[in-house]
Amino acid sequence: MGFNQLAESDELILGEALERQKILETVINNSPVMAFLWTPDKKWPARYVSENVTQLDYNAEDFLIGRIMYADIVHSEDIDRVRKELTRCCEAGNDSFVQRYRILTGNGEVRWVEEKTYIQRDEAGNVVNFQGIVRDVTQEIKNEKALKDALQSQKALMEKQKALLERQKALETVINNSSTVVFLWKAEKYWPTLYVSENVRQFGYTPEDFISGRILYGKIIHPEDLLLVELELEENCEEGGKEFNRQYRILTQTADVRWIDEKTFIQRNEEGEVTHFQGIIEDVTRNVKRA
């Protein structure tokens, strides 16, 4: 093979290599990944940087001519951590380095990046280059933080709900072991029941009797007392009252007559309209009979 043939072969190989390099650089420059080749000096001067470093508001030339050293753009609060981890990887003989840290863009904006670097060594094992790719992960960090915050908020809410349920359970236990029965009525005719404590059973009824609407509270008030209770409660509501207190008779499930003392808080909406009655009734039959 002659000299001219060798030269032509070399040129062909060089042309193919340049073409592959051009293709590779085109792929990199159209991706979010920035490629660097740094020397293992203190401030990591760049021997190569892809053109798409412009996404950080720098030009490749800034790094290549040494006007900007890569270490100078690493956030001051992160630089020591990054140096120590890179040094540790090099001294341990590792062939790669992965780290997330903050950098400052050319406009002074703080961005999070993830660096994945291959540590190149000579035959003696000495570090000669850092061949790295850097990716902007700012949005990922924000998304991760938002997810973490959401999970923490959900956990806090669940713990709060658990505490509320435990307090509710404790309160219901206290109420159900007393003679005091708690009601929540709608402000409607005969007071339909939304809630009643379990100890309503002392009158022969079950909570389900009232909550299902099978029995309306107004219907167990003694017929001779019902009208007076209705009128007094209505008058109290019309006058803007907040509470209603009265003694009257009710009929148990077996038609026995009991005297009860009712203390009720009148609930209103934002317009001042009465919506609910939160009542407490206590059997005072013995006290009334003694009197």
Side-chain angles (χ1 to χ4, degrees), residues 253-275:
Q253 196 272 337
T254 57
D256 290 337
V257 176
R258 300 277 184 89
W259 279 92
I260 62 102
D261 183 84
E262 177 187 332
K263 295 181 180 179
T264 289
F265 298 95
I266 300 170
Q267 297 181 342
R268 303 173 187 272
N269 59 23
E270 294 180 356
E271 288 72 36
E273 298 169 338
V274 176
T275 58

Side-chain angles (χ1 to χ4, degrees), residues 179-195:
S179 60
T180 300
V181 182
V182 175
F183 277 90
L184 178 63
W185 298 296
K186 292 182 182 180
E188 298 174 6
K189 183 70 173 177
Y190 296 129
W191 310 298
T193 300
L194 293 175
Y195 170 83

Side-chain angles (χ1 to χ4, degrees), residues 143-178:
N143 292 343
E144 289 171 4
K145 184 179 184 304
L147 178 59
K148 182 179 179 181
D149 291 345
L151 291 173
Q152 288 178 341
S153 295
Q154 184 180 24
K155 182 180 178 181
L157 179 60
M158 290 176 66
E159 290 176 350
K160 185 176 181 179
Q161 289 174 335
K162 181 181 178 182
L164 286 172
L165 289 173
E166 288 175 351
R167 286 197 292 272
Q168 178 182 333
K169 184 177 179 181
L171 180 60
E172 288 182 341
T173 299
V174 171
I175 292 172
N176 290 325
N177 284 284
S178 73

Side-chain angles (χ1 to χ4, degrees), residues 201-219:
R201 296 178 188 275
Q202 65 187 280
F203 300 123
Y205 303 107
T206 67
E208 181 62 20
D209 290 334
F210 292 97
I211 294 172
S212 67
R214 194 161 49 241
I215 296 176
L216 296 173
Y217 183 78
K219 292 291 188 178

